[in-house]
């Protein structure tokens, strides 16, 4: 099936000519009246204009959050849960609209937006709608007459800054737990993908009291920095590049507020020799696991961008893997048969291409790909690259630096010790994959790899109830899972003496 381009006949989504910020339950023009062009990576053309916010807009949004926070925090958890579930229902009723909007804004294949991004975003609202009702405080008996009560309280107004690779999914990962925990929030989407969130807001905004959720659009330094730096913000949650994360921590340190960071990655995907023991479903699954470097056009912080393959199976394994990579169908992202779409921005396209040059200079072997992909017709100006495999060693920049494209750097290992050494020889520690029929090997590796999420005989699954987050330079804190509520709440302890005797 092919979805019509937004704004044309039969299209299920149409973008307005421009979008304001969403503050205090209303669409509010930026204080200085400036807008910036938003380009679709699918065809490289401007399709809408977006509020270019500055400090004054951020401040206004934070004020709206503070006005709303007492009433929202006082809402019963049952009511908050009902509202989050209604948001999920609305999203489900409009799944295709949201998926097409996301694809047009970001360039990802619509089949992925339909099957993964939007359903997963919906599930996050449902999950946090549920866990907030099950959350309980604590009571400790200190001595016979003294009791300590522990209550969960919201932090207040949170600032949330998200990237462009999964705009609606990252919104849900941030917004659902913050609101469930009783906070109001100000969200700043990425300047590369500011549009789909407006379609989402139009669908759901009537479900939330004014000021509970505010969206301020704009650039990192102009809108993101004032948000992270403001003394009106009670917590900052950020997903993006590691160097930006470092700055976010510095800004927030001025106000001594908590920060959670989900940053870059260079995830190893390790294939032990026994995957080739039989030509069966397990081997097919492992090959699919290798090919997942191209999922979401490789623009995933946990992209399995380093493949480590036992040298004894390298030739045979790569033969199979290469055949599978050749089956990745590139093309129009709005076509449900397309498996690899457009990179999110021209800047990102150029970054990926620059790594093709770096690989060549470093002497990496190009197993396949390594070029920009050109299409005829409407997509001629879009941002496409070929799925690419490099072979080299772990010291190369293509093994150490986040490329954020459909690119995997492959190397071999002689034994388990070498595999582990290579896997952990990285600044990052977000994700990893381990593939073995021997569950003891898989378990031991899973425990030894320094990464917050180790997929074992699977990859790229993101259930709401599994903790996700980084070791090392990949971040601080976790997302998903009910433990995340801790990042959006503080603990009130009442220490009560019931004794009627003098102390
Ligand atoms: O990220 P940034 P960019 C990686 C990936 C990519 C690279 C650069 O390798 O190629 O980062 O992407 C906001 N104060 N990841 O430049 O700058 C910005 O407006 C406050 C990994 O887009 O980190 C956007 O909303 N905010 C990644 C968000 O931060 C600032 C996802 C992310 O932008 C800011 C994306 C500042 N000084 C990119 N500067 C992942 N871990 O998933 C920027 N922003």
């Amino acid at each position: 099936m092919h979805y019509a381009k937004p704004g044309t006949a039969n299209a299920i989504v149409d973008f307005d000519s421009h979008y304001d910020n969403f503050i205090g339950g209303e669409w509010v023009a930026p204080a200085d009246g400036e807008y910036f062009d938003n380009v679709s990576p699918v065809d490289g053309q401007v399709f809408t204009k977006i509020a270019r916010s500055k400090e004054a807009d951020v401040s206004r949004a934070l004020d709206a959050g503070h006005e709303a926070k007492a009433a929202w925090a006082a809402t019963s958890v049952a009511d908050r849960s009902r509202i989050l579930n209604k948001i999920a229902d609305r999203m489900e009723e409009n799944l295709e609209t949201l998926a097409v909007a996301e694809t047009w804004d970001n360039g990802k294949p619509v089949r992925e937006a339909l099957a993964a991004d939007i359903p997963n975003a919906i599930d996050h609202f449902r999950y946090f709608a549920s866990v907030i009702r099950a959350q309980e405080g604590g009571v400790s008996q200190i001595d016979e007459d003294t009791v300590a009560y522990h209550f969960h309280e919201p932090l207040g107004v949170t600032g949330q800054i998200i990237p462009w690779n999964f705009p609606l999914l990252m919104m849900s990962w941030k917004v659902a737990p913050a609101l469930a925990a009783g906070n109001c929030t100000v969200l700043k989407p990425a300047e590369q993908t500011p549009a789909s969130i407006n379609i989402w807001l139009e669908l759901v905004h009537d479900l939330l009291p004014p000021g509970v959720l505010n969206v301020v659009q704009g650039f990192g330094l102009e809108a993101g920095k004032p948000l992270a730096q403001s003394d009106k913000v009670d917590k900052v949650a950020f997903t993006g590049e590691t160097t930006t994360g470092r700055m976010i921590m510095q800004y927030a340190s001025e106000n001594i507020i908590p920060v959670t960071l989900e940053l870059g990655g260079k995830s190893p995907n390790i294939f032990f020799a026994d995957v080739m023991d039989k030509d069966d479903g397990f081997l097919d699954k492992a090959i699919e696991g290798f090919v997942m470097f191209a999922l979401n056009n490789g623009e995933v912080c946990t992209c399995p961008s380093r493949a480590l393959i036992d040298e004894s199976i390298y030739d045979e394994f790569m033969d199979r893997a290469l055949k599978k990579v050749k089956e990745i169908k590139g093309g129009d992202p709005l076509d449900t048969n397309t498996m690899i779409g457009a990179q999110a921005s021209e800047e990102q396209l150029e970054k990926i291409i620059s790594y093709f040059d770096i690989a060549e200079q470093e002497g990496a072997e190009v197993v396949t790909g390594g070029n920009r992909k050109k299409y005829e017709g409407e997509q001629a100006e879009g941002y496409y690259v070929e799925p690419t495999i490099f072979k080299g060693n772990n010291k190369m920049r293509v093994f150490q630096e986040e490329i954020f494209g459909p690119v995997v750097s492959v190397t071999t290992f002689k034994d388990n010790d070498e595999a582990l050494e290579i896997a952990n020889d990285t600044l990052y520690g977000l994700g990893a994959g381990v593939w073995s029929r021997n569950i003891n090997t898989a378990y031991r590796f899973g425990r030894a790899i320094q990464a917050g999420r180790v997929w074992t005989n699977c990859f790229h699954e993101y259930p709401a109830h599994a903790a996700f987050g980084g070791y090392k330079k990949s971040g601080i804190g976790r997302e998903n899972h009910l433990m995340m509520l801790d990042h959006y709440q503080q603990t009130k302890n009442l220490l009560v003496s019931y004794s009627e005797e003098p102390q």
Side-chain angles (χ1 to χ4, degrees), residues 301-327:
C301 46
T302 42
C303 175
S305 53
R306 291 188 297 147
L308 280 49
I309 301 168
D310 187 299
E311 65 177 16
S312 67
I313 59 162
Y314 179 79
D315 290 337
E316 234 183 322
F317 183 89
M318 281 309 290
D319 205 38
R320 290 286 286 260
L322 201 52
K323 280 198 190 101
K324 198 81 189 163
V325 170
K326 301 266 185 218
E327 287 169 14

Side-chain angles (χ1 to χ4, degrees), residues 162 164 188 191 224 238 241 244 251 263 301 348 351 402:
I162 56 171
W164 39 262
K188 194 202 84 65
E191 56 269 36
F238 170 80
E241 200 180 13
T244 316
Y251 305 152
L263 309 174
C301 46
Q348 191 55 30
K351 175 175 168 182
E402 192 174 48

Side-chain angles (χ1 to χ4, degrees), residues 30 47 56 139 172 207 209 223 235 293 313 407-408 472:
F47 68 99
V139 180
S172 75
L207 299 172
K235 180 236 157 79
F293 73 85
I313 59 162
V407 183
V408 60
K472 300 182 351 190

